Amino acid sequence: MPELKPFISLIRRGEVVAFPTETVYGLGADAMNPAAVQKVFEIKGRPSDNPLIVHISDTKQLDQLVDTLPNEAYPLMKEFWPGPLTLVLNKKNQVPDLITAGLQTVAIRMPDHPLALEFISHTGPLVAPSANKSGRPSPTKASHVQNDLGTDFPVIDGGATHVGIESTVLDLTGATPSILRPGAVSRKQLESTLGVFVEESYFRPSVQPKSPGQKYSHYKPEANVHYGPVEEFKDGVLYLIVNPTSEDRKNIYRYDHDLEKLSRELYDRFRQADIQGYHTIHIEEIDPDEAINSGIFEALLNRILKASS
Ligand code: TXA
Ligand code: MG
């Protein structure tokens, strides 16, 4: 376990530190210090109208962030925190407007990672967007963060992240709970915990985006991303193969129906394809009938389609 003390001091001095979560690495700063939060936007090159998620280590820290919780929040926190579920809630006045981009709501999650939980228990709530430069894939390794932000940038190294794609963002401020971004916690899991219908509002580009992040174009590798059946293997193409195959070439990665593994490795493969100069990344189409039993399918497909559009 890395020594956290120097990183805790940096946060207390209003500096920015990258830290691991179970989803992707976050770029952390003291949520109650607007000057520190401002630095996050600058380092990331993030537009100021795209709000940040606040990360907590203990539900007691919610007192600083929200006045009252909606009834739905309780079973969800019990079932999925710590974990890859972000809840959008009505914010307390004292939450800096900079975090929420002027919205009256704040996005909050408790990451399921021992280093993150230990870290935040000492620093208090931390804002943390994914620790990539805007327009790059989310980092799933400490080396990804340093590739984007420089080798001197302070990163708590927790190895490769376990989930690999960003958290589910669920809005609890409307009449119906609404998924603003799909993630490892699936709609089916949310519905079975809540016992009510849960909306998916991320496939409606014509509607005014409620999650400001929806309107920004997502990361696309230099390489073209193709999603579809694979007929033959060609050079210059990096293949991510979902169905079992006996083909054994250096440009083929086999996933044997393991969609969790594909999610975990997807952004690393994107970065790797660009470094190695592949002109195309071909991801083999996932059979939806088979995927129906996988909680992460929706989120994985969402990231693949965004990268390939
Ligand atoms: O897994 C994750 O969520 C990672 C790790 C580091 O925790 N964080 C992450 O942060 O993905 P970021 O900033 O890359 O994405 C946050 C998303 C954006 O789409 C943003 O628009 C949305 O959450 N969001 C934040 N606050 C919101 C709010 N008050 N209302 C609606 N959407 C909000
Ligand atoms: Mg991001």
Side-chain angles (χ1 to χ4, degrees), residues 150-191:
T151 46
D152 290 338
F153 197 85
V155 186
I156 301 172
D157 191 345
T161 60
H162 183 70
V163 175
I165 56 183
E166 306 82 350
S167 62
T168 304
V169 178
L170 182 71
D171 184 3
L172 290 182
T173 65
T176 307
S178 173
I179 300 173
L180 304 181
R181 180 178 72 184
V185 175
S186 67
R187 175 184 179 170
K188 202 169 142 192
Q189 285 175 290
L190 294 170
E191 288 185 334

Side-chain angles (χ1 to χ4, degrees), residues 23 26 46 50-51 53 55 105 107 109 129-130 166-167 181 211 213:
T23 58
R46 183 182 182 107
N50 193 2
I53 296 173
H55 295 64
T105 57
R109 84 177 193 98
S130 51
E166 306 82 350
S167 62
R181 180 178 72 184
S211 188

Side-chain angles (χ1 to χ4, degrees), residues 205-232:
S206 60
V207 177
Q208 173 73 16
K210 227 191 155 183
S211 188
Q214 290 179 355
K215 76 179 181 196
Y216 292 104
S217 73
H218 213 253
Y219 173 75
K220 292 192 192 71
E222 292 289 307
N224 293 309
V225 177
H226 277 314
Y227 178 67
V230 173
E231 265 116 47
E232 52 169 337

